[in-house]
Amino acid sequence: MKANFNHTIVTSILFLACLLFTDEAHSQSVESKATSEQRAKKMTDKMKETLSLADAQYQPIYEINLKYAKINEQLKSSDDSKMTKFRNFKATQEAKAKEMKTVLTSDQYKEYEKLADEMKDKLKEGYKNRKK
């Protein structure tokens, strides 16, 4: 039973990490009402700075971010259970990562993964420090 509970906690943390990384849900409330296009642009701009994207990489990365921002928006507003949303979200994150890998250099992709891991760690820490 404890292992199942721990699995649920880890699953929830990963869901939140993915949510924050793609949609930056931790942004101010005004930004949380941003359109998919605005979120995709903001994420792409952040990636351009952090990953030193070449000009030729910007538009394909933007298109990938836009595609998944729209998918994530639909997922968040669905009536599915939290676990079903998580599973669907995880599948879309894996698909997004595969698409990113085709556009990013190997060094950029490693940094992309590192950023995702850092976000997961922040969420885990926040989960541990949350009010019960």
Side-chain angles (χ1 to χ4, degrees):
M1 183 69 179
K2 185 175 182 176
N4 193 17
F5 178 73
N6 288 338
H7 177 71
T8 302
I9 290 173
V10 170
T11 300
S12 298
I13 290 171
L14 289 174
F15 174 74
L16 291 173
C18 292
L19 183 64
L20 286 176
F21 188 68
T22 58
D23 289 337
E24 298 195 31
H26 64 284
S27 297
Q28 298 173 2
S29 63
V30 172
E31 292 177 8
S32 69
K33 295 181 182 180
T35 65
S36 298
E37 291 79 7
Q38 291 167 328
R39 285 191 306 276
K41 181 169 181 359
K42 184 175 181 178
M43 178 56 70
T44 307
D45 289 345
K46 182 177 181 180
M47 290 175 71
K48 181 176 182 170
E49 179 183 318
T50 307
L51 305 178
S52 301
L53 297 179
D55 291 340
Q57 290 175 302
Y58 186 89
Q59 190 62 33
I61 295 291
Y62 171 78
E63 294 297 329
I64 293 168
N65 283 330
L66 178 59
K67 174 182 175 180
Y68 289 97
K70 288 179 178 181
I71 290 170
N72 292 338
E73 192 172 302
Q74 291 173 348
L75 267 176
K76 285 193 288 186
S77 63
S78 76
D79 292 334
D80 293 335
S81 70
K82 288 181 183 180
M83 188 54 74
T84 300
K85 284 182 183 183
F86 169 75
R87 287 184 181 130
N88 291 337
F89 189 78
K90 185 176 179 187
T92 61
Q93 286 306 105
E94 290 170 0
K96 180 180 179 181
K98 285 180 184 178
E99 287 187 48
M100 287 292 184
K101 198 170 193 174
T102 66
V103 179
L104 299 172
T105 66
S106 61
D107 288 340
Q108 288 171 325
Y109 188 75
K110 287 176 188 172
E111 187 65 25
Y112 173 79
E113 289 181 313
K114 185 176 159 184
L115 291 171
D117 289 341
E118 287 173 7
M119 186 61 68
K120 289 176 196 174
D121 291 342
K122 285 181 184 177
L123 283 171
K124 286 178 186 177
E125 191 62 33
Y127 183 79
K128 290 178 186 175
N129 296 329
R130 76 187 190 291
K131 293 181 181 179
K132 295 184 180 185

